[in-house]
Amino acid sequence: MSKSVLITGGSRGIGAATAIHFARMGYKVAITYNKSVYAAKAMKETFALNGAEFIAIPCDVTIPLQVESAVKQTVSAFGSLDVMVNNAGIAMQKLITDTSDEDWQNILNTNLSSVFYGCRAASKVMLPKQSGSIVNISSIWGRVGASMEVAYSATKAGIIGLTKALAKELGPSNIRVNCVAPGVIDTEMNQNLSAQDLTALANDTPLCRIGTPDEVAKSVYFLANDADFVTGQILSTDGGII
Ligand code: NDP
């Protein structure tokens, strides 16, 4: 029987590429979307054309009940939840002195609390069957910090701590928890960067380019599906930039 995956923020960018990759590998795929209603609808049509089992669930990941419900809807559609990918997130570039309390709470809720809600909801389903795999999406800035991205870097560092702790807690129950820390990836998240900025970032990268969403998707799949004796790890998919 084919396995199932739930990917938060699967409507665009890295999440959408991850959904496509898991479907290619034979998984039943559930994604959540929030604002990108049309993109989610288009994905549904594409997956239907290819005969893949796919559902798109509206969900604001800052609301714990909606995340719980997305997990429940996945289990009721596919009969199980084998892999949970906590991917949804936002970026913010601001000096700390320009970062309001509201900015801080918003990015904390969207990037970090959401991962806690996703991990907790997935654990409730995976623990009784004593199997499963969780992959969280951090960032290289969670490892080394980025100037003018204090809040973003803090949320992504928090995901690393959460991943390492949860891997220890769930390991004895045969549930693996890992993390991908992407470098600069070509998605809408980086659309505010100028061509000059992107070239400079590519030049700073040993592989001399920025990455693609599909390259991150392959790392997520490796950790989720193939890395049977790997847990609590942070895989930098970053062209060697750090
Ligand atoms: P995009 O901006 O392309 O996509 C972001 C996704 O997150 C969308 O699917 C969006 O859904 C979803 N999302 C945002 N806020 C919410 C919310 N409140 N509730 C539900 N879904 C939400 O970003 P990327 O694909 O680039 O980023 C994906 C992840 O990868 C993020 O966690 C990001 O921090 C991380 N990352 C990205 C890097 C990059 O260079 N691109 C580098 C390192 C890490 P919708 O549009 O439906 O609202």
Side-chain angles (χ1 to χ4, degrees):
M1 206 176 81
S2 58
K3 290 184 182 174
S4 64
V5 60
L6 170 61
I7 302 156
T8 66
S11 53
R12 299 187 280 118
I14 290 168
T18 303
I20 291 164
H21 190 72
F22 272 81
R24 249 188 234 134
M25 304 308 278
Y27 269 72
K28 295 179 274 195
V29 176
I31 64 157
T32 72
Y33 63 94
N34 190 32
K35 292 183 184 152
S36 298
V37 179
Y38 292 110
K41 195 165 168 259
M43 280 186 72
K44 206 170 167 182
E45 285 162 7
T46 310
F47 275 77
L49 278 176
N50 289 302
E53 286 192 71
F54 176 84
I55 55 169
I57 304 164
C59 169
D60 180 340
V61 292
T62 65
I63 302 175
L65 275 179
Q66 292 194 17
V67 179
E68 291 263 350
S69 166
V71 167
K72 282 184 187 151
Q73 287 179 60
T74 305
V75 174
S76 91
F78 298 150
S80 73
L81 176 68
D82 299 295
V83 176
M84 176 83 193
V85 181
N86 291 300
N87 161 77
I90 53 171
M92 190 176 72
Q93 278 134 9
K94 279 188 179 183
L95 293 169
I96 193 165
T97 42
D98 291 338
T99 303
S100 67
D101 293 348
E102 197 187 356
D103 290 333
W104 170 255
Q105 287 303 331
N106 183 39
I107 198 161
L108 205 56
N109 289 338
T110 311
N111 288 6
L112 183 56
S113 298
S114 64
V115 175
F116 169 74
Y117 304 144
C119 287
R120 186 176 59 183
S123 299
K124 287 180 188 169
V125 172
M126 292 172 177
L127 277 167
K129 65 187 181 89
Q130 296 277 288
S131 79
S133 176
I134 299 173
V135 180
N136 299 321
I137 307 299
S138 175
S139 161
I140 49 168
W141 306 132
R143 297 188 63 192
V144 298
S147 172
M148 289 188 61
E149 296 197 60
V150 165
Y152 180 79
S153 301
T155 63
K156 293 299 178 177
I159 291 172
I160 290 174
L162 187 157
T163 299
K164 285 175 180 283
L166 192 60
K168 287 179 179 163
E169 185 171 321
L170 297 183
S173 301
N174 192 34
I175 299 163
R176 297 182 301 103
V177 190
N178 288 291
C179 193
V180 175
V184 186
I185 308 298
D186 184 15
T187 69
E188 285 173 51
M189 186 169 271
N190 290 320
Q191 69 186 0
N192 60 328
L193 296 178
S194 66
Q196 251 179 337
D197 289 340
L198 288 170
T199 305
L201 285 162
N203 288 341
D204 283 345
T205 305
L207 288 180
C208 305
R209 62 177 177 84
I210 65 169
T212 67
D214 193 44
E215 288 167 335
V216 180
K218 286 177 188 162
S219 292
V220 174
Y221 185 82
F222 165 71
L223 287 173
N225 194 74
D226 298 331
D228 292 340
F229 200 47
V230 177
T231 198
Q233 299 305 307
I234 316 306
L235 175 55
S236 287
T237 302
D238 65 0
I241 197 168
I242 60 162

